[in-house]
Amino acid sequence: RMTSLGANPIDDLSIGGPGVPAIRLIVNADDLGVSERVNEGIVRAHRSGIVTAASLMAAGRAFDHAVQCCREAPELDVGVHLTLVAEKPLLQRTSSLAGDDGCLPPSVGVFLRRCLTGAIRMADIQAELSAQIERVLDHGLRPTHLDSHQHVHALPGIVQLVLRLSGRYRIPFVRVPTEEVHIDWPLSVHAVLRWAGAMALRTSWMMARLSGARPAKPERLRFLGFTEGGRLTQTRLHQLLRTLRPGRIYELMCHPGFAPHEPDLQRWNYHHEQELRALTSAFIRSEIAARGIRLISFSSLR
């Protein structure tokens, strides 16, 4: 039975009347914990919009503020946004993950290069990810899902480790970040980069599957939102909603927030407030109601 998320009165709708399977949608906000302003925007997108879940960065600089936000929004599903790039590791002193500046590698490319040259030890990756999950648990939160910052968990070798950790900590869902690629013309530089990233993710996940990696629930959730990462508009969200099919379960990744003040986060060039407006739009909520889309959480699928 699907549980109702009381903040969203459209959750109990079904499509087409009795006997017609519903479209079920989890709207999952990434990067909770990276900035207080991002945290506040995610909570706004949950309370006033369609966000039903968020992924928490245990290594995020605004982690404590994010935990308080979660306690004040108990119906918001919380997962762990595993972080191996761009922040500071929890285990700094003895970890090969930390550079001379005490920070994790700045990007997936640098992380992968250091792994391939043996500069980063797999044991240190496992210790860091375990510490991040345990930090969330130690603050009284029960994670329902795992994903990662910049999708590092989809790399061969890392995905097998993350799947083992999901079993050890009884976290039932691991994001499979493979999206059906669409190309909108005319192409922008951002669109080309996201398209290339989507193809790299698909290739990486296929390589991991060839090595035997299998999520506990591999086929249940269809992933959406990578192509629009950081720039989800109301128009594009409306288009995505119209592609959803009855009987399927989807996870839509999004990045709402209030524009962060931190210079390094500003360099992401994400349109946080644009996404926040789209996710709290009355027009989008009416479209969800009209299509009989049921907003759910990861916990309701347990």
Side-chain angles (χ1 to χ4, degrees), residues 14-57:
S14 59
I15 187 168
V20 179
I23 299 167
R24 288 176 286 176
L25 176 64
I26 297 167
V27 184
N28 187 19
D30 281 8
D31 301 330
L32 182 66
V34 77
S35 160
E36 290 192 8
R37 285 180 60 79
V38 170
N39 296 346
E40 291 164 359
I42 289 173
V43 172
R44 173 74 62 84
H46 169 63
R47 288 177 171 162
S48 303
I50 65 172
V51 165
T52 60
S55 297
L56 173 59
M57 300 174 73

Side-chain angles (χ1 to χ4, degrees), residues 44 72 79 81 110 112 123 134 178 190 203 223 229 245 253 261-262 276 289 292:
R44 173 74 62 84
E72 294 173 358
H81 201 50
V110 176
L112 185 57
E134 289 173 10
T178 57
H190 177 78
T203 301
F223 179 68
R245 296 292 176 259
M253 177 186 74
H261 295 316
E262 296 86 346
L276 177 58

Side-chain angles (χ1 to χ4, degrees), residues 86-257:
E87 293 290 318
K88 291 184 177 180
L90 298 183
L91 308 177
Q92 292 188 38
R93 294 184 179 179
T94 60
S95 177
S96 59
L97 284 162
D100 293 339
D101 58 359
C103 295
L104 293 163
S107 67
V108 176
V110 176
F111 172 82
L112 185 57
R113 186 163 58 249
R114 291 183 186 174
C115 285
L116 292 175
T117 59
I120 292 177
R121 298 184 294 270
M122 186 62 70
D124 290 342
I125 295 175
Q126 178 171 330
E128 176 65 27
L129 297 184
S130 296
Q132 291 180 16
I133 294 171
E134 289 173 10
R135 189 182 191 198
V136 173
L137 290 167
D138 289 346
H139 281 74
L141 302 174
R142 171 53 59 183
T144 58
H145 58 283
L146 297 175
D147 48 49
S148 65
H149 195 41
Q150 298 186 25
H151 304 285
V152 175
H153 80 286
L155 294 173
I158 309 298
V159 64
Q160 291 89 338
L161 172 58
V162 170
L163 292 173
R164 288 197 299 272
L165 292 175
S166 77
R168 176 189 302 173
Y169 293 103
R170 298 182 181 181
I171 301 173
F173 293 95
V174 177
R175 176 183 287 168
V176 179
T178 57
E179 182 176 21
E180 293 183 10
V181 176
H182 58 271
I183 300 177
D184 294 326
W185 300 94
L187 284 176
S188 64
V189 173
H190 177 78
V192 171
L193 292 174
R194 298 304 289 189
W195 178 84
M199 298 310 297
L201 276 174
R202 182 173 290 276
T203 301
S204 179
W205 194 266
M206 287 176 61
M207 292 173 61
R209 289 200 63 162
L210 289 173
S211 68
R214 295 289 188 278
K217 304 177 185 296
E219 305 301 335
R220 298 197 70 178
L221 298 178
R222 294 171 183 261
F223 179 68
L224 301 168
F226 179 84
T227 308
E228 294 76 22
R231 299 193 180 186
L232 182 65
T233 64
Q234 177 179 288
T235 298
R236 184 59 195 147
L237 178 53
H238 178 241
Q239 292 170 344
L240 282 174
L241 292 175
R242 297 186 70 83
T243 68
L244 307 188
R245 296 292 176 259
R248 294 180 179 177
I249 310 171
Y250 298 87
E251 178 198 356
L252 172 63
M253 177 186 74
C254 58
H255 298 85

